[in-house]
Amino acid sequence: MEKVVIIGSGPAGWTAALYASRAQLAPLVLTGKQPGGLLTTTSIVENFPGFPEGVDGYELMTRMQQQAERFGAKTSFGVVESVDFSNRPFSLIVDGEKVATETVIIATGAGHKHLGVPGEHELENKGTTYCATCDGALPMFRNQALVVVGGGDSACEEASYLTRFASVVYLVHRRDSLRASKIMAERTLANPKIKPIWDSAITEVLEVKQDKVTGVKLKHLKTGVESVLDCAGVFIAIGHVPNTEVFKGQINTDENGFIVPEQGTMTNVPGVFVAGDCADHVYRQAVTAAGAGCAAAIDCERFLAAQNH
Ligand code: NAP
């Protein structure tokens, strides 16, 4: 039986693993489908303390993993299919196998939010994508007009990155100002290859019949005027949804699915802790997730120590 299972391998998961392993709990980290989490799809991370020149997201996560493993964290590339938190030890089904554990730290992060318009899913990987750093360099996008949707830091980052490959990047936003941090917004709007399209929503991704993206249908939200914008790719960067589906009914969440901790990082189930973006819809930074992972591991260690007394 495991003492601690950490579900998720983003900054929260690996930091929890680092602290739990240094507490000699030999935590088992279940990486999930995307080892390293969403940060591995970012290009350069400029706001993680300690890296004055910035650090590649993938490299940062690899280093965190190595640091945790150095102290005894065990890594499994497993995906949790279901959990039973009704009794301790808890049981998890991981790729069909049962894993028993005294405690769990949930650090499952968040996934990409979808637009939900016609053509979006049909044309996924045929021009619709949720990750510029993963797909931006593909030949189909080279020297083409591309669309980025959203007004936050993610949209700005995606748009800036895509200017390396695109002939022009249209930044489609539903309001007339960006939500992004000031530095990112200013940098984005100063880029001559990025053309903002304000107060506009995408109502359809075209053209399913051609089995590839040829453009988007736009609606101006103030005038109601509809138009078509030709492009070869649509990069959707409109925020995230927490990856908490597998815990539904077992752990308290808010109405959007974010896990609600009750006492420090402990959830309503004693022995189950939470850290990172799956519980945070406010800060959502790599460094805050890492801090929460540290707190969860300390809470977990103290919980186990109290149980053993
Ligand atoms: P976000 O800040 O929540 O922004 C989402 C954007 O998408 C908003 O502009 C929102 O519009 C728009 N949006 C949401 N739903 C939409 C819909 N259905 N249709 C059209 N537009 C929609 O998300 P994010 O940009 O992914 O950032 C998440 C967090 O990660 C933030 O805390 C951010 O600071 C952080 N982050 C940081 C960096 C960095 O510092 N390097 C990079 C990426 C992300 P409204 O503005 O109208 O609400």
Side-chain angles (χ1 to χ4, degrees), residues 47 113 115 149-155 157 173-175 179 184 237-240 282-285:
N47 51 12
K113 194 171 154 188
L115 277 175
V149 197
D153 281 331
S154 297
E157 196 173 71
H173 185 33
R174 62 185 179 184
R175 293 186 297 117
R179 167 192 295 278
M184 299 274 270
I238 59 169
H240 300 95
V282 180
Y283 303 108
R284 297 177 297 177
Q285 304 298 305

Side-chain angles (χ1 to χ4, degrees), residues 112-172:
H112 297 291
K113 194 171 154 188
H114 293 197
L115 277 175
V117 299
E120 178 185 11
H121 289 304
E122 295 88 330
L123 296 173
E124 217 172 308
N125 301 323
K126 295 167 183 168
T128 302
T129 133
Y130 300 85
C131 178
T133 40
C134 316
D135 301 329
L138 291 174
M140 68 198 281
F141 299 131
R142 299 248 170 180
N143 300 312
Q144 302 289 327
L146 301 177
V147 162
V148 172
V149 197
D153 281 331
S154 297
C156 288
E157 196 173 71
E158 304 266 288
S160 302
Y161 181 77
L162 290 172
T163 57
R164 302 178 195 191
F165 315 106
S167 56
V168 56
V169 177
Y170 296 107
L171 182 60
V172 176

Side-chain angles (χ1 to χ4, degrees), residues 1-16:
M1 176 165 42
E2 303 295 335
K3 288 196 183 82
V4 187
V5 169
I6 297 167
I7 309 175
S9 56
W14 287 126
T15 308

